[in-house]
Structures are given as C-alpha cells and as structure tokens.
Amino acid sequence: MKIDLTDTTSSKINKALVQGRRAIGTPAVGMVLTLVIVTDEENAYDALRAANDASREHPSRTLVVIKRVARTPRARAQARLDAEVRVGADAGTGETVVLRLYGEVGEHAQSVVLPLLLPDAPVVVWWPVNAPLDPAQDPLGALAQRRVTDTYASEDPIQDLTARAGTYTPGDTDLSWTRITPWRSMLAAALDQVACEVTAAEVEGEEFNPSVELLAMWLADRLGVPVRRTGSTGPGLTAVTMETTCGDIVLDRADGSLANLSIQGQPDRAVALKRRETAELIAEELRRLDPDDTYASALRFGVDRLGARAAENGSEGGAPAASAPATATAEESAEKPEQPAKAAPAKTAAKKATPAKRAAAS
C-alpha cells in the first residue's frame, strides 16, 4: 500500500502510517529499529531495495531522506516536504517513508526525521554516497547509535579513510570494512591450523579500493608484522599471502567468487568467497549495534601511512605505483627511512590466532 503526501508535515506522515497499518490489518508495530538512509535521487532506488531485502532479517522503519536541489531562486525560497508512505508488501517486512525535502527544509532534516523515529528503538543512519567526513557530528548522525558509511563510493577513498580515522566516534563503521569479514574469518582460521611464526604479509587488490587498505591495516595491527600492498586488476581483493617460518599461507581469489587456500604441507582447498550484495552487507551491520573496536583499531593504525600516500598523490599529481611496497608499520618507517622494512619480533601463531579469530568474528 502506498500513500502519497504533498506539502505535508511529520504529524501527517505519522497519521498516514497508522492509517496504512490499519488498512492492511496489522495495527501493531513490530519493528526492531529505525534505519535512516540519507542519499540522493539517483541512488535512492538501489539503497531502498537493499534496505527492503535486509528488512527480512531486521524488520525496521526505513526513512529515506532525499534533499532535492532547487533549480531557480524562487524554488529555493519555497520550503516544502513531500512524502511517500509504504506499508505491507511495498515495504518489505517493515514500513518505509520516502522524504523529499525542498528549500530550507533540507537544512533541517533532523527536525523532520526526529518525530518519525520509533520510540525506544535504536537508530541506524546509512549514507550510501556523499557521507560526511565526521558522521557523528552530522545532525542526522547525532540521532543514531550506529552510523554506516561506504568509502568505496567516495572520489578519494584513501583521503576519506584518513579523515575518518581522525574523527572516529564509537558507533561509526564502513561497508568497506564489512566486505572483508569473510577474508578475515578465513585468514584467522588458516592461522589456527599452523604452529609457525608469521614474519610478513602481502595484500593484493584493486588500486584505490578501501577494503584492500583496511585488510592490510588489520593484518599489520593484529600480527605486528610488515604488510605490503600491491595492485591488481581485481575484482576487489584478489589475494593475501602470509609469510611464515613454515612456508607461505596464500588465499587467492582471482574471479571474485571462488578462492583457493594454500597452506604449506597441506593439500590446496577451494573455499567460497564471493563478493556480496549491498543487502547482505547492511544486514550484517544491523546485527550489532555496539561499537566495533576492531575496526577502530585497524582504521587508526593506518592514519600515518595513508596520510603519507595522500600527500604523495597530491604532490605528484597521480597515484603511486600499485606494485610499490607500503610498509604497514609506521614506527619502523619513521626510524629507518632508508632501509627496507624488517620483520617484527616473532610471535607464535598460537598466541596470534585467537585474537585474530576474535577480530574476524567481530
């Protein structure tokens, strides 16, 4: 069921929601959270479809905030709120309200959204595109317990990761981090199968892909070893190699679907490691509403290294060579700038496997 409201108010939208629930015979509210999607008209359809798919696992009230750009001075002076209320089969397993804000109303979106939040339920704000560099300070982000961005959609992912590391607030997360959850789980499980010391690692993937950078920072942060970042044609992450005293551990995914895990002394095995849709990613993020400390640690670990790469890009007018190794231990780089990175003091896999596995599970 759809109800269109033109030049409306938050009060009238709430009344339309009650009317819609009664019309389809479900007067009770069974949603577990409010999902606020802040996007533009171009990306609204895809974001809403992903949210509707995720609502099968997390029934929620979805509020889509679209700030319309006025084309003329007269239109900019007219403040107006249009809404489209969807309940029943048109809204997945929850309720959906598409809000289109015109004129000065767009500058006060939080005042429109606040009366529509479910009472006593957590709030999650998701920016599919054009996310603020400091989500917690955004007026809409300040309403939420969880703030989801997607650095992959930004023009300069490396610069955005650096900025978000400096402004991180508990509750922030990024879908680029969510994309590497299966990789982290698989690598942690591989370390559980050996009793060797990890001395170095290499992460291979598309250039300017923030998921590749985050995985490299996570490995360097958790294992305390040098990590090289090399480029490939993709898609996405293509391979991770962990050098150990017993031989290399290689997780190679060339086609974006099926990966091959190779451990010295064991037969190679094929593992499913497909690239997931946005609906699966947002559903994973909605499963937990507590701060992701592992993400925060990995993000902050790479601030200095990413900052140096961003400065290099700006001074040379282009990206650094994808195959150039980037040492992931910032302290070693500062102390020995003219020497190649050396392996950090050896740590046994038995000591590192358990923390790494916990991080992957998080």
Side-chain angles (χ1 to χ4, degrees):
M1 179 178 181
K2 295 183 181 180
I3 303 174
D4 291 325
L5 302 173
T6 303
D7 197 6
T8 186
T9 63
S10 297
S11 176
K12 293 179 181 179
I13 294 172
N14 269 320
K15 291 179 181 179
L17 286 169
V18 175
Q19 176 187 346
R21 287 198 301 269
R22 289 177 177 172
I24 64 174
T26 57
V29 179
M31 279 74 73
V32 299
L33 58 87
T34 302
L35 175 62
V36 181
I37 305 175
V38 186
T39 184
D40 54 23
E41 198 72 62
E42 179 182 358
N43 296 279
Y45 175 80
D46 290 336
L48 187 53
R49 184 178 60 178
N52 285 342
D53 291 342
S55 72
R56 296 187 177 95
E57 182 178 343
H58 309 279
S60 59
R61 174 176 289 179
T62 302
L63 306 177
V64 183
V65 179
I66 303 174
K67 300 179 181 180
R68 298 296 299 266
V69 178
R71 298 182 178 179
T72 64
R74 178 179 297 179
R76 285 192 290 270
Q78 296 175 350
R80 191 175 91 244
L81 169 63
D82 293 345
E84 181 182 326
V85 178
R86 304 179 185 179
V87 293
D90 293 315
T93 58
E95 300 173 340
T96 298
V97 181
V98 180
L99 303 167
R100 290 182 171 86
L101 285 61
Y102 298 83
E104 293 185 1
V105 179
E107 303 299 324
H108 306 280
Q110 72 279 8
S111 300
V112 177
V113 169
L114 187 58
L116 301 176
L117 302 179
L118 289 172
D120 302 322
V123 179
V124 178
V125 177
W126 172 31
W127 291 269
V129 294
N130 302 324
L133 294 180
D134 190 352
Q137 294 300 316
D138 183 85
L140 286 172
L143 301 175
Q145 288 78 34
R146 192 81 162 161
R147 295 164 294 276
V148 184
T149 57
D150 192 354
T151 313
Y152 187 76
S154 65
E155 294 184 2
D156 192 338
I158 306 304
Q159 183 178 357
D160 280 11
L161 282 177
T162 305
R164 297 232 168 85
T167 61
Y168 174 82
T169 301
D172 292 354
T173 191
D174 197 281
L175 292 187
S176 295
W177 172 256
T178 316
R179 289 184 179 95
I180 64 174
T181 299
W183 285 83
R184 295 187 293 126
S185 300
M186 196 63 63
L187 293 171
L191 287 178
D192 279 342
Q193 303 176 39
V194 298
C196 308
E197 301 171 357
V198 180
T199 58
E202 179 178 350
V203 178
E204 178 184 293
E206 289 177 329
E207 194 173 1
F208 302 116
N209 188 315
S211 295
V212 182
E213 303 289 344
L214 284 168
L215 184 60
M217 292 187 286
W218 173 73
L219 285 171
D221 180 45
R222 303 302 291 179
L223 298 177
V225 299
V227 176
R228 297 184 300 277
R229 161 73 165 90
T230 57
S232 72
T233 57
L237 274 160
T238 52
V240 174
T241 302
M242 294 187 292
E243 301 172 11
T244 75
T245 54
C246 303
D248 291 350
I249 297 175
V250 181
L251 183 60
D252 186 8
R253 186 190 69 178
D255 61 357
S257 177
L258 192 66
N260 182 72
L261 178 61
S262 175
I263 302 177
Q264 190 73 21
Q266 300 183 19
D268 292 354
R269 68 202 72 173
V271 294
L273 206 62
K274 71 180 183 70
R275 305 188 75 190
R276 298 182 292 169
E277 299 292 335
T278 305
E280 298 177 72
L281 302 176
I282 198 65
E284 178 182 328
E285 285 301 331
L286 295 179
R287 291 182 197 131
R288 57 174 301 170
L289 299 176
D290 57 314
D292 191 340
D293 296 332
T294 307
Y295 166 69
S297 180
L299 185 65
R300 288 169 173 162
F301 181 89
V303 171
D304 294 337
R305 178 170 67 88
L306 294 177
R309 286 189 58 172
E312 182 179 354
N313 290 349
S315 61
E316 296 183 2
S323 60
T327 304
T329 45
E331 295 181 359
E332 291 183 2
S333 300
E335 295 174 0
K336 301 179 181 181
E338 300 180 357
Q339 299 180 9
K342 297 182 179 180
K347 295 182 174 66
T348 63
K351 292 181 179 178
K352 284 296 176 183
T354 299
K357 194 170 185 179
R358 286 200 303 268
S362 66

